[in-house]
Amino acid sequence: MNHNKLLAISLALSASAIPSYAQDDSGREEASSRRQIEEVIVTARKRSENIQETPVAVTAFSGDSLREQGIMSTQELSKSVPSLQINDSTSPQIFIRGIGQRAHMARFDPSVSVYIDGIFIPRPDGQLLDTIDIESVQVLRGPQGTLFGKNNTGGALVFNLTKPGDTVGGFVEGLMGNYNEQSIRAAADLPISDTLLSRVSVSSRRRDGFLKNLGSDSNQSIDRLSAIGQIRWDAADNLTVDGLAFYGKVREKYPSYHCELVNDDALFVNGLGILWAGDTDPSNPTAYRDNCAANNRKNLPDLTTNQGDSFRAVKAQDILLLGTTLEWQISENNTLKTIIGYRDATKFGPQTAADEGGPQPFLRALVLDDSIQESLTLEFQLNGSAFDGSVDYTAGFFWQDEYKSERFLTSNPLVGAESASLIALAGGQYGANLPNLGTLIPGGTAPLIAGILPLATLQDFDINGQTYAAFTQATWHITDNIEWTLGGRYTEEIRESDLVTRSADLGAMLTILNSIDPRFVPVVPDMGVAAYAGTWSEDPIQIANDALNSYFPGEVKTPLGAPQYDSRDSTFRQFTPMTSAAWIMPEQWFDDSLLSSAMVYGTWSFGFKSGFHEPSGVDGLTEVAPEELENREIGIKIDALERSLRMNIALYSMTFTNMQLITVNVDSANSLVVTSQNAGESTIDGGELEVLWLPSENMMLSFTYSNNNYKYDEFMDNDLAALALRGEFVPVDRSKEDFAVSPETSASFGAQYTIVTDYGLFTPRIDLSYKSEVYMGLDAGSWQVAQTNPELIYAEAYSLVDARLSWNDPMSDLRVSAYVKNLADKRYDIGAVGTAESLGTFTRALGDPRTFGIELRKEF
């Protein structure tokens, strides 16, 4: 084969392997024989622009680039995009610059929005897409409240699908790997006529779980099936209609996790002075500790957990997405675009949302039955230029109607206590200070069992919301090199929430328990207290729970009382302005210099995340205020060394008001509830660096780095023990805590070299990624533990190495790749939560171990 031709092809492949993509006016990638970084077109401002002339911190990938790096899902983008953190353990979590949503319940909106071909995806579930038939993905960092709307305080992920072509063609791609991984993808362009084009894409990916959960099946499996159908109709010379239908089916298991006890004085350890099933000696209660220790990572074989057969690691969902885009070229310089999207998703339960981490079902929070998510969106965009091209503008209107439903169960077992302990506890005395009668009276006194922890709280939650927004943004090209952008968006959201709560009927429970085993004699029916006619050595708590479990075989282990109804309506309004100024330095300044081009910009922008209604145990619905973000950012984008070196830098300072945080609280029944509150004010200061260098005609090097310094300026909470035991609101200042979930520092390095031979192109590639340690505390007590034992509350820093070797035969359009991810087989956490004040545990979910395989791709 001609070496010059192979070299030209290798250059094109190198250009497509970087985290950006080269395009011509039609959106297709073009090769160049020059050792230059090609122009990258992005739509961060709802119009096509050169990335180096766009005053937004944005990273772009082409579909070829994703394949070159072996990125098969959105989650893997966080390895190489600065300030991006994506976790997908028990729930999908997307964070940008430390801003994201930690919980996955229906009431929570994401802080990072996702768009597919301009269609807004409103829920976190289903946002973490496989990269099936993706033409490009753009990661916009920082608040995007003007053009992209609410729930963009962190940023946005913008996906564009590969559009139908005008000739028959496509690809078939297969993969086989360890853990019995099997994947097949295919796409085909099927033109129907000169004006009606179509494209069909399918993908199936399966992998066995790598985590063995004792007493259950293996977890962290992959089982996804998806299909995409597209139609493009050139209805007229100035009118194009695009149709999209996406169906996704997920039948996976998320990872079970490990447990470590971090605080002996936590409420559920010593704080309440209670005994658990398995405690047969009141002088030495160990069951709760032993339950956690049975699932401690140090006590188990590698990649093994022990959460028992009651753990529901179900990740099952069906998604249907329909979309239509009409683009009308009104005139030479003005275009009207209409985007209509419909999404229908169903999540299947039961799914464990939280527990204390051990194999015994001491505490369980479950999402039951089917959860419905349905949304309809409509957006009008008017894009164009005016005043002889000196002003570019975008204006439009957005509307959304959304419905969500969820059935949530908080389930606790019967517990026990000595009579004196129960009396003291009812009087508000801290359990760790209670006298231990078991040490004074061998074998203890008469056993009492009780529903001190609510046996069950079942809630049906329905949410209806309508969003209306009007937006505009205009860029004035003051000179050929100076521009000023000004924009604003007004958003109004009407949210209606309906909640039905049913709690355990303790009196009826005792009647049933006594009928099963007469040794349990009701003492205080309203509190679910019964005396046991026997001794502690018989393990009466276990006997009582076994009796209820056999009588109630379902997930709810107790009779429920009459339903309580609560409804709440709220309207949230917000105006999110922005302005930026950019200076593109004159090209003639760089004649005979190392620099090729440079742009400096400054931006002031706002983001807004809607408020919502929060179920708070038996107290019904409370309102959580919207969160607001003000961003001040400066950046510089440079091309140098004859456009073979690119360096982009962004520095920013953000003020966060009313940040929505997940915490632990107590309802009026003194039941612990996971709830939300607003932190008064926070500050995020940080910087990001992206470097791309083509040092030779067939070598590519990339480097990214980000550092975000998070600080709570105002964050007041309540002392959980005082609230739970005595109903007292004792303020606790939590402003010294670290932000949770997102690392302060992340970095990546990639290197690729293309070897040209008579037998095709060989391309070895290596990618390294680093994430610093992450604070994972949920309650105030976790921060206290972290001051003396940070390893008990922080997820450790880690580095991953991925390697890949590809062979490409350009003449036959055949590519074969061998890959290995997590080459060193590191153990690292992809999800964790520390609840030192309440549960006393630190639970952690492991990320993927070493995986390897071989891929084959044939284009036709």
Side-chain angles (χ1 to χ4, degrees):
M1 180 180 293
N2 184 284
H3 279 259
N4 291 332
K5 182 176 180 180
L6 277 173
L7 182 58
I9 295 172
S10 73
L11 288 168
L13 292 174
S14 295
S16 69
I18 62 178
S20 59
Y21 57 97
Q23 291 185 329
D24 57 21
D25 291 339
S26 66
R28 298 297 186 184
E29 292 182 274
E30 58 179 11
S32 172
S33 60
R34 297 176 299 170
R35 186 177 60 92
Q36 290 186 347
I37 300 171
E38 297 292 340
E39 183 179 64
V40 178
I41 303 300
V42 296
T43 54
R45 295 196 290 181
K46 299 283 189 178
R47 57 180 183 265
S48 297
E49 298 177 295
N50 184 346
I51 191 173
Q52 294 302 96
E53 298 179 359
T54 304
V56 178
V58 54
T59 301
F61 294 81
S62 70
D64 284 341
S65 175
L66 297 172
R67 285 189 292 275
E68 289 289 337
Q69 296 187 55
I71 295 176
M72 298 186 67
S73 68
T74 307
Q75 183 179 355
E76 294 183 283
L77 290 173
S78 61
K79 290 182 179 180
S80 53
V81 177
S83 295
L84 177 65
Q85 177 69 16
I86 301 179
N87 300 327
D88 190 19
S89 53
T90 57
S91 63
Q93 302 171 345
I94 307 177
F95 283 73
I96 296 180
R97 295 180 176 177
I99 303 167
Q101 178 54 56
R102 191 170 186 177
H104 69 291
M105 311 309 295
R107 56 190 177 269
F108 298 114
D109 288 334
S111 299
V112 176
S113 62
V114 175
Y115 294 81
I116 300 176
D117 279 357
I119 301 171
F120 175 52
I121 309 298
R123 311 308 320 148
D125 299 302
Q127 285 188 336
L128 300 186
L129 307 167
D130 282 346
T131 55
I132 171 179
D133 214 17
I134 295 295
E135 182 178 62
S136 69
V137 56
Q138 302 167 43
V139 183
L140 282 58
R141 303 187 297 276
Q144 308 293 322
T146 299
L147 289 181
F148 289 89
K150 70 184 182 74
N151 305 339
N152 280 277
T153 45
L157 273 64
V158 180
F159 292 86
N160 292 302
L161 298 174
T162 302
K163 299 301 181 289
D166 56 7
T167 60
V168 175
F171 70 88
V172 176
E173 184 176 272
L175 177 150
M176 295 184 66
N178 60 333
Y179 296 105
N180 197 31
E181 182 167 6
Q182 303 170 48
S183 173
I184 185 167
R185 302 182 183 192
D189 289 323
L190 303 171
I192 301 171
S193 68
D194 291 341
T195 59
L196 186 60
L197 311 177
S198 69
R199 184 176 177 89
V200 178
S201 311
V202 294
S203 173
S204 174
R205 185 183 179 197
R206 294 183 177 180
R207 188 190 71 186
D208 294 341
F210 63 80
L211 276 175
K212 174 62 179 177
N213 182 38
L214 299 179
S216 181
D217 297 330
S218 296
N219 295 324
Q220 192 61 319
S221 61
I222 295 175
D223 189 353
R224 306 172 190 173
L225 175 67
S226 55
I228 301 175
Q230 297 183 78
I231 287 181
R232 166 162 287 186
W233 177 33
D234 293 323
D237 291 340
N238 61 346
L239 178 62
T240 301
V241 181
D242 286 312
L244 163 67
F246 169 87
Y247 172 74
K249 179 181 179 181
V250 178
R251 296 295 185 270
E252 301 177 347
K253 290 194 174 181
Y254 64 79
S256 46
Y257 36 92
H258 293 100
C259 180
E260 187 164 1
L261 195 69
V262 297
N263 182 18
D264 284 331
D265 292 330
L267 288 177
F268 285 4
V269 187
N270 288 329
L272 294 176
I274 56 179
L275 307 176
W276 299 82
D279 280 328
T280 58
D281 181 2
S283 67
N284 184 31
T286 62
Y288 192 87
R289 296 178 181 82
D290 292 345
N291 189 46
C292 181
N295 191 29
N296 190 300
R297 190 176 295 177
K298 301 174 184 176
N299 301 332
L300 293 168
D302 188 29
L303 299 178
T304 302
T305 64
N306 184 19
Q307 289 196 264
D309 57 8
S310 66
F311 182 73
R312 304 288 188 260
V314 177
K315 186 192 292 185
Q317 187 173 26
D318 289 346
I319 302 173
L320 174 66
L321 177 67
L322 303 175
T324 300
T325 300
L326 293 85
E327 187 165 351
W328 176 28
Q329 189 77 34
I330 302 173
S331 64
E332 181 180 355
N333 299 318
N334 297 279
T335 302
L336 177 63
K337 182 182 289 187
T338 302
I339 304 173
I340 304 172
Y342 171 77
R343 181 176 183 269
D344 188 330
T346 302
K347 290 177 59 179
F348 304 98
Q351 178 189 31
T352 297
D355 65 7
E356 84 298 333
Q360 297 299 319
F362 283 176
L363 305 165
R364 287 289 186 268
L366 299 171
V367 179
L368 296 181
D369 302 333
D370 298 345
S371 299
I372 306 300
Q373 302 170 5
E374 188 174 9
S375 64
L376 179 64
T377 60
L378 173 64
E379 181 168 352
F380 296 105
Q381 294 177 18
L382 182 62
N383 300 285
S385 62
F387 304 106
D388 296 325
S390 63
V391 174
D392 294 322
Y393 69 89
T394 297
F397 173 81
F398 175 82
W399 171 82
Q400 174 183 273
D401 184 85
E402 184 182 15
Y403 169 77
K404 298 166 285 185
S405 71
E406 190 170 71
R407 169 167 279 197
F408 194 73
L409 171 68
T410 302
S411 177
N412 304 305
L414 289 166
V415 295
E418 294 277 349
S419 56
S421 298
L422 192 61
I423 294 172
L425 186 64
Q429 190 170 352
Y430 192 60
N433 301 327
L434 296 177
N436 191 335
L437 296 182
T439 61
L440 304 175
I441 304 174
T445 60
L448 296 178
I449 63 97
I452 297 175
L453 308 176
L455 296 185
T457 301
L458 182 64
Q459 295 183 312
D460 288 289
F461 194 25
D462 292 329
I463 304 171
N464 286 281
Q466 293 82 40
T467 302
Y468 306 86
F471 58 90
T472 185
Q473 182 172 296
T475 299
W476 178 24
H477 301 281
I478 301 173
T479 69
D480 289 341
N481 302 100
I482 299 176
E483 67 175 41
W484 175 42
T485 301
L486 181 66
R489 185 185 192 106
Y490 174 78
T491 303
E492 182 172 300
E493 177 167 358
I494 303 169
R495 182 162 292 200
E496 304 170 354
S497 302
D498 296 294
L499 180 67
V500 181
T501 302
R502 299 185 68 190
S503 300
D505 187 330
L506 297 179
M509 179 274 298
L510 287 181
T511 300
I512 293 172
L513 182 60
N514 177 259
S515 68
I516 299 173
D517 192 333
R519 290 176 295 177
F520 292 98
V521 180
V523 176
V524 187
D526 291 345
M527 294 181 60
V529 180
Y532 177 70
T535 64
W536 282 114
S537 62
E538 300 174 57
D539 199 356
I541 305 175
Q542 187 68 60
I543 294 173
N545 282 294
D546 286 345
L548 291 180
N549 289 340
S550 62
Y551 193 88
F552 297 98
E555 300 292 349
V556 182
K557 305 297 184 181
T558 181
L560 298 175
Q564 297 179 335
Y565 299 91
D566 192 11
S567 297
R568 189 149 187 172
D569 300 343
S570 298
T571 300
F572 305 103
R573 300 178 178 89
Q574 189 71 31
F575 178 67
T576 46
M578 68 79 59
T579 187
S580 70
W583 176 36
I584 303 171
M585 299 180 189
E587 290 187 6
Q588 57 267 30
W589 287 14
F590 307 123
D591 292 342
D592 301 322
S593 71
L594 295 178
L595 295 181
S596 303
S597 67
M599 182 190 73
V600 179
Y601 70 89
T603 297
W604 176 68
S605 60
F606 280 79
F608 155 65
K609 180 178 174 181
S610 179
F612 59 94
H613 303 129
E614 171 85 301
S616 183
V618 299
D619 296 331
L621 294 168
T622 60
E623 182 177 299
V624 179
E627 63 182 25
E628 304 169 27
L629 185 73
E630 179 184 3
N631 178 48
R632 297 162 295 277
E633 181 173 331
I634 58 173
I636 182 169
K637 299 187 176 186
I638 296 173
D639 282 352
L641 303 181
E642 297 181 351
R643 300 190 186 277
S644 68
L645 174 66
R646 174 164 295 171
M647 181 170 62
N648 293 344
I649 301 172
L651 303 174
Y652 43 86
S653 179
M654 299 186 288
T655 301
F656 219 150
T657 305
N658 288 331
M659 183 179 181
Q660 297 169 359
L661 294 174
I662 306 297
T663 186
V664 181
N665 216 317
V666 177
D667 64 12
S668 58
N670 280 352
S671 303
L672 289 176
V673 292
V674 177
T675 184
S676 301
Q677 69 179 75
N678 295 106
E681 190 169 294
S682 312
T683 302
I684 304 173
D685 298 320
E688 297 158 348
L689 169 66
E690 294 181 281
V691 178
L692 174 66
W693 184 31
L694 306 180
S696 69
E697 291 179 330
N698 44 8
M699 175 177 281
M700 181 278 298
L701 301 174
S702 65
F703 175 74
T704 69
Y705 176 83
S706 61
N707 181 268
N708 291 280
N709 298 293
Y710 317 116
K711 184 181 69 173
Y712 292 111
D713 299 312
E714 180 184 339
F715 182 15
M716 297 301 297
D717 202 354
N718 297 306
D719 180 83
L720 197 57
L723 195 58
L725 294 169
R726 298 182 297 276
E728 295 179 2
F729 290 89
V730 178
V732 175
D733 186 359
R734 298 181 62 180
S735 61
K736 301 299 182 182
E737 293 186 17
D738 289 344
F739 272 31
V741 179
S742 190
E744 286 193 0
T745 302
S746 63
S748 72
F749 171 78
Q752 174 178 300
Y753 188 83
T754 301
I755 304 169
V756 183
T757 74
D758 290 333
Y759 307 101
L761 306 177
F762 291 87
T763 307
R765 180 185 179 96
I766 188 168
D767 288 283
L768 294 81
S769 60
Y770 168 79
K771 301 288 185 181
S772 64
E773 65 178 9
V774 181
Y775 177 66
M776 302 303 296
L778 191 66
D779 52 26
S782 296
W783 182 248
Q784 297 174 10
V785 171
Q787 302 314 293
T788 55
N789 296 289
E791 70 278 0
L792 298 181
I793 302 296
Y794 280 83
E796 295 180 356
Y798 64 89
S799 299
L800 299 179
V801 180
D802 298 341
R804 192 174 186 87
L805 176 62
S806 299
W807 170 78
N808 180 41
D809 180 11
M811 302 304 294
S812 62
D813 290 321
L814 177 66
R815 174 186 290 268
V816 180
S817 302
Y819 70 89
V820 57
K821 297 182 180 181
N822 189 5
L823 179 65
D825 202 22
K826 289 284 187 72
R827 299 293 176 262
Y828 61 99
D829 296 320
I830 58 170
V833 60
T835 50
E837 190 172 10
S838 51
L839 304 183
T841 61
F842 182 45
T843 55
R844 298 180 290 166
L846 281 169
D848 286 6
R850 181 192 295 122
T851 58
F852 53 85
I854 187 167
E855 299 175 0
L856 185 148
R857 179 183 175 92
K858 170 67 176 177
E859 298 183 0
F860 58 89

